[in-house]
Amino acid sequence: MKIFEKLAHIDRRYIYILIAVVVIVPLLMKPNLPIIPTKPVEDIYNYVENLPQGSNILISIDYDAASMPEQQPFLEALLRQCFRNKLKPVMIVQWQLGAPLGTQGLEKIAKECNAVYGVDYINLGYRPGYVAQMVGIGREIRDYFSVDYKNVSVDSFPIMKNIHNYNDFELLVGLEAGSTYLLWVEYAGGRFKQKIALALNAVSAPDAYYFYQSKQIIGLVGGMKGSAEYEVLEKRPDLAVAGMASQSYSHILIILFIIFGNIAFFVEKNRKRKEGGK
Amino acid sequence: MATTIGIWIAAGLTLFIYSFLYKDNPFYKFAEHLYVGITAGYWLIYTWAYTIQPMLLDPIIKNKEFILIIPAFFGLIMLTRWFPSISWLSRWSIAFTVGIGAGLGVTGSIQGFILPQLRSTILPLTGFDFATFNNLLIIFGVITTLVYFYFSKEHKGLLGHGAKIGMTFIMIAFGASFGYTVMARISLLIGRIYFLMFDWIGMLFGK
């Protein structure tokens, strides 16, 4: 049983090395593990797929660099799908530090799909205010976004001609890292009956599934796995799919750590009890 | 050239931060302080460029919207909390904020959370299919979890059993959250390692 005692007191740096190995090796070897899309992700994909050409989609960037590996692949896959189906993404930002990430993703995919700024898509940038802004968009989006992210009047862009409030958006997609999604559900969904789809980072995702069950959101993309599923549906495997093998193997390793850790804990507890009884 | 420099800086700072896994060191401290400083600076610039200038200064100076002096005044007296002798002034602003928050929150919570969630718990229990079993599980889970949070009577007998089952449901929810949290943290590591391997080392080898 000495092995369990040793495991219980193992230097944590060995664990870090093992985790690094199980992340790096699959990235190099690229094993082909199946990624099967789940219903909450498929529901978003199918909803967007079935929207009529020219529909406007409001995309809110509510994450920052800390959630980039989880959210950016979904953003890019969603934008590809939008431009492929001639849908018009309108990007807004609630998290200041997310503004460059949203802009980077939008510009990259727009260039790839030959989309024209101001006609096929627009970036309205960051505005402060959260709740006030969410309620305000229900009345007139220009009250908060009178200019785009480069300070050009939104009325100078053809895409904005018929956009005034939530009635003009077929879908609101929130890419979320914190609790901003609660406000979208509460105000855009509860008050204005706006259709909402959420992409949450994995930490927040379990707390949002009940909105899916209650049909307050049409679907949910949870973490890197959800992004990988969306890339598979879009038939363009990219960063999220590339990371999923590492994700799977590191999860197996962590499960093993938990099992060994618990066995070591109970073995040691038993040993101490016996020693105490002597 | 700018991209190359950017990648080198990002790679260097990533390695500085990960050096903490071995032990605390000056490289980690440097990267940590730099991050905090840059984030604060970024926030400051954004607050000025997207809030103070376009929503306060420009409308007052260019459009003569002097009504905005009132919210500006309330904003300024919020800062009196730093001066104990006049800190009571900040309560006016706080009262205003709390009032708006409560007003929006009450209606928002009822419309957005309570009613839709209540509605989604009133589920049909007719039939012998998986959907019915799922509905039963949701209703049973909600009721037993609520029983666990009922503290006005000692958790004994039927109430005690219900509370224990409720606690099991809560534990399962915590387990799901923990699993997702692991996935989130590993995703961040994958993102950084992918960057180091393919953007940085890949650049070094001209790939």
Side-chain angles (χ1 to χ4, degrees), chain A residues 1-275:
Chain A
M1 291 295 156
K2 283 246 189 275
I3 179 90
F4 288 116
E5 283 173 42
K6 279 187 181 170
L7 277 174
H9 300 101
I10 194 170
D11 189 331
R12 67 183 195 285
R13 285 172 287 201
Y14 291 117
I15 295 172
Y16 297 150
I17 289 169
L18 281 173
I19 292 281
V21 169
V22 293
V23 169
I24 291 168
V25 172
L27 283 175
L28 288 170
M29 308 294 285
K30 299 184 175 65
N32 196 14
L33 294 183
I35 295 167
I36 301 155
T38 50
K39 195 172 179 304
V41 177
E42 266 182 337
D43 283 351
I44 299 180
Y45 184 82
N46 292 336
Y47 187 88
V48 175
E49 204 63 18
N50 291 323
L51 286 174
Q53 282 190 7
S55 299
N56 301 311
I57 295 186
L58 185 63
I59 298 176
S60 184
I61 303 295
D62 309 336
Y63 65 95
D64 57 16
S67 303
M68 195 179 169
E70 295 182 276
Q71 298 287 3
Q72 204 74 358
F74 170 68
L75 174 67
E76 294 184 3
L78 175 72
L79 288 169
R80 275 193 192 102
Q81 188 189 14
C82 287
F83 291 134
R84 181 171 53 74
N85 287 306
K86 308 280 181 227
L87 305 176
K88 300 187 173 186
V90 175
M91 184 177 278
I92 60 172
V93 180
Q94 303 282 340
W95 282 33
Q96 294 104 315
L97 297 172
L101 305 179
T103 304
Q104 188 185 322
L106 188 59
E107 293 301 325
K108 178 185 165 188
I109 306 302
K111 193 177 172 190
E112 185 186 301
C113 301
N114 296 318
V116 181
Y117 186 78
V119 178
D120 301 317
Y121 71 102
I122 193 164
N123 183 357
L124 300 182
Y126 165 77
R127 293 293 184 284
Y130 290 121
V131 176
Q133 186 196 123
M134 289 168 187
V135 174
I137 293 173
R139 190 176 53 244
E140 172 59 62
I141 197 168
R142 282 163 187 77
D143 289 349
Y144 283 86
F145 295 93
S146 58
V147 292
D148 76 343
Y149 80 121
K150 284 184 175 170
N151 262 336
V152 180
S153 170
V154 294
D155 289 320
S156 62
F157 299 108
I159 188 176
M160 292 301 290
K161 198 178 162 192
N162 295 317
I163 294 178
H164 292 282
N165 52 44
Y166 289 119
N167 293 333
D168 305 312
F169 293 106
E170 294 297 328
L171 183 66
L172 158 67
V173 185
L175 287 90
E176 313 289 327
S179 57
T180 314
Y181 73 93
L182 292 170
L183 301 173
W184 281 123
V185 172
E186 194 175 347
Y187 296 103
R191 185 169 294 189
F192 296 101
K193 309 298 172 208
Q194 170 67 51
K195 292 268 184 202
I196 300 172
L198 293 176
L200 287 117
N201 64 345
V203 174
S204 312
D207 296 336
Y209 273 102
Y210 59 85
F211 291 128
Y212 177 66
Q213 187 260 329
S214 63
K215 297 185 173 57
Q216 288 175 271
I217 56 173
I218 62 154
L220 178 61
V221 173
M224 183 182 265
K225 184 179 178 291
S227 297
E229 291 171 18
Y230 214 87
E231 286 181 352
V232 167
L233 287 168
E234 184 55 19
K235 296 179 185 67
R236 263 297 290 270
D238 208 336
L239 287 174
V241 169
M244 277 316 288
S246 302
Q247 187 79 257
S248 301
Y249 291 126
S250 54
H251 280 205
I252 292 169
L253 185 68
I254 287 165
I255 290 168
L256 290 175
F257 285 153
I258 292 171
I259 293 169
F260 279 122
N262 275 281
I263 292 172
F265 171 77
F266 284 112
V267 165
E268 192 157 356
K269 194 177 165 187
N270 198 33
R271 185 182 59 82
K272 278 181 182 167
R273 202 187 60 208
K274 278 180 183 172
E275 280 176 4

Side-chain angles (χ1 to χ4, degrees), chain B residues 38-55:
Chain B
I38 287 176
T39 306
Y42 200 85
W43 268 74
L44 190 69
I45 289 168
Y46 256 79
T47 306
W48 178 264
Y50 285 91
T51 311
I52 297 172
Q53 196 178 3
M55 298 178 90

Side-chain angles (χ1 to χ4, degrees), chain B residues 5-23:
Chain B
I5 294 168
I7 288 173
W8 270 95
I9 292 172
L13 290 172
T14 302
L15 293 173
F16 284 4
I17 291 287
Y18 280 143
S19 68
F20 183 79
L21 296 175
Y22 183 70
K23 65 176 186 180

Side-chain angles (χ1 to χ4, degrees), chain B residues 64-139:
Chain B
K64 314 286 182 212
E65 292 177 32
F66 296 115
I67 190 85
L68 291 174
I69 290 171
I70 297 170
F73 170 73
F74 276 103
L76 279 174
I77 62 173
M78 192 79 108
L79 303 177
T80 60
R81 291 182 70 79
W82 286 335
F83 310 100
S85 59
I86 53 165
S87 66
W88 58 272
L89 278 169
S90 66
R91 288 181 200 156
W92 293 354
S93 312
I94 293 168
F96 194 75
T97 313
V98 169
I100 289 177
L104 279 168
V106 167
T107 52
S109 293
I110 293 170
Q111 273 183 324
F113 297 141
I114 297 173
L115 291 179
Q117 287 302 314
L118 262 176
R119 204 180 302 128
S120 67
T121 317
I122 302 167
L123 297 163
L125 293 175
T126 51
F128 291 97
D129 52 1
F130 185 72
T132 308
F133 173 73
N134 219 6
N135 291 347
L136 188 70
L137 202 65
I138 290 169
I139 294 167

